[in-house]
Amino acid sequence: MNTPMKLVVVGAGGRMGKTLIRLISETPGLALHAAVERAGSPALGRDAGELAGVPALGVPVTDDPLQAFLEAEGVIDFTSPAATVEFAALAAQARIVHIIGTTGCLAEHEEKIDAAARHARVVKSGNMSLGVNLLSVLVKQAAQALEASGWDIEVLEMHHRHKVDAPSGTALLLGEAAAEGRGVSLAEHSVRVRDGHTGAREEGSIGFATLRGGSVIGEHSVLFASEGEIVTLSHSAADRSLFARGALKAAVWARDKKPGRYTMLDVLGLNSTP
C-alpha cells in the first residue's frame, strides 16, 4: 500500500507512548491518526507531537478511544492488562491491527484478547525486539539439546524500579521457550519464589529470579547449569526505542494479514510452527 498507515497510540503520555509518537512522526509510511490517554490525564488536549518532544502534529490527545479508532488502521498498545482488554474489544469492532506490548496479562485477559483476534489482527509479545525474539529461539534450541536430568534452567531479569509486574513479560517469554524446548508446561515446572528452607532444587524445574532498581531498561539472561559448566544466553536493552521500533514493524507486517493472533516470531519469520 502506498498510503501512510494511520496509527493510534494509546497511553500517549507515558514513556513508551511518547517514544512511539516520535518514531511514527519520523518514519516514512506511517502517520499518527490519534493519541489516547486516560480520563484526567494532564496530557489531554495537548498536541501529541509537542508532548513527545517533536514539532506539532495537529493531533490533540484525547480520552475517547472509540472515536480515535474510527478510520484508523492500527493501534499500538503498551498499557495495562485491563486497558488492553478494552482496547482489544474496540480494535475488534473496528477490525484493525492491534499491537500489544502490554505485560502482566492473566488467563482471563488472554481469553478476551483471543476472542478479539477473531476480528482484529493481533500481534502480542512479551517483548517486541528482534534480539529478544532471536534469543527465545536459541533458548528453545538449547533446552531441546540439553537434557533436563543434567542441566538446570534459570531465568534472571532486571528492570527499573517503576516496573510493576514480575517476572517480566520477556522473562516469561524466555521461560516458555525453554519449556517448549523441553516439551513441558511452564505453569507446572516454573519456580517463581524461593525463601527460607526450600530443599534441593527439583529436577526439571525452570527457575526465575527478579531484580528491580534504578533506571535499567531490561536485562535478561537464561542460564543452563550443569556439573562443572554454565551456558549463558543473554540480552541487554540499552534504548527503549528498540521495543517501539519492533511494534511499528509488527503493525506494518500485520496490515494486510487475515484476522488472527500472531507473535513477533511470525513478524520476524522466526516461527518454525507450520
Side-chain angles (χ1 to χ4, degrees):
M1 300 182 185
N2 295 324
T3 57
M5 186 176 185
K6 298 183 289 185
L7 297 175
V8 178
V9 173
V10 293
R15 287 171 295 182
M16 186 59 75
K18 293 176 183 177
T19 300
L20 285 162
I21 292 168
R22 175 176 59 80
L23 289 176
I24 290 170
S25 74
E26 298 171 352
T27 305
L30 300 179
L32 183 68
H33 178 71
V36 177
E37 256 298 346
R38 66 187 184 282
S41 168
L44 293 177
R46 292 187 60 186
D47 182 273
E50 294 177 347
L51 180 67
V54 298
L57 298 173
V59 178
V61 179
T62 177
D63 62 358
D64 185 354
L66 179 60
Q67 182 65 33
F69 286 21
L70 292 177
E71 299 183 14
E73 295 177 86
V75 53
I76 315 294
D77 178 3
F78 287 79
T79 58
S80 67
T84 288
V85 166
E86 293 181 14
F87 296 137
L90 293 175
Q93 182 178 330
R95 286 170 164 70
I96 60 176
V97 171
H98 188 187
I99 307 302
I100 304 174
T102 302
T103 58
C105 291
L106 303 176
E108 56 263 35
H109 302 128
E110 298 290 355
E111 289 174 2
K112 292 178 180 177
I113 293 169
D114 284 340
R118 291 198 290 266
H119 302 290
R121 284 148 282 163
V122 177
V123 180
K124 184 177 185 295
S125 178
N127 193 296
M128 294 286 174
S129 83
L130 170 60
V132 162
N133 283 278
L134 176 59
L135 176 62
S136 73
V137 173
L138 298 176
V139 167
K140 180 177 178 179
Q141 292 177 341
Q144 286 175 326
L146 303 175
E147 295 182 1
S149 59
W151 293 84
D152 301 320
I153 302 176
E154 292 286 315
V155 182
L156 172 65
E157 59 105 339
M158 181 170 185
H159 284 84
H160 53 85
R161 63 167 63 97
H162 302 291
K163 187 166 180 60
V164 297
D165 58 310
S168 69
T170 303
L172 293 173
L173 181 153
L174 296 173
E176 286 286 1
E180 288 177 16
R182 288 263 168 95
V184 299
S185 163
L186 181 63
E188 296 176 0
H189 289 78
S190 67
V191 176
R192 310 283 183 89
V193 178
R194 293 189 179 106
D195 185 37
H197 186 74
T198 62
R201 189 185 197 281
E202 184 176 345
E203 183 176 289
S205 61
I206 299 173
F208 290 83
T210 298
L211 305 176
R212 294 286 179 267
S215 58
V216 176
I217 293 174
E219 304 280 344
H220 294 86
S221 296
V222 181
L223 286 73
F224 294 84
S226 182
E227 293 292 337
E229 59 182 326
I230 297 176
V231 175
T232 302
L233 301 175
S234 62
H235 178 271
S236 178
D239 183 352
R240 186 170 280 103
S241 68
L242 68 92
F243 308 122
R245 292 183 194 281
L248 297 180
K249 181 180 180 71
V252 173
W253 177 87
R255 191 180 190 185
D256 62 355
K257 297 298 182 292
K258 295 179 180 179
R261 182 157 175 175
Y262 305 93
T263 72
M264 282 300 290
L265 293 181
D266 297 307
V267 175
L268 299 170
L270 296 173
N271 197 340
S272 59
T273 302

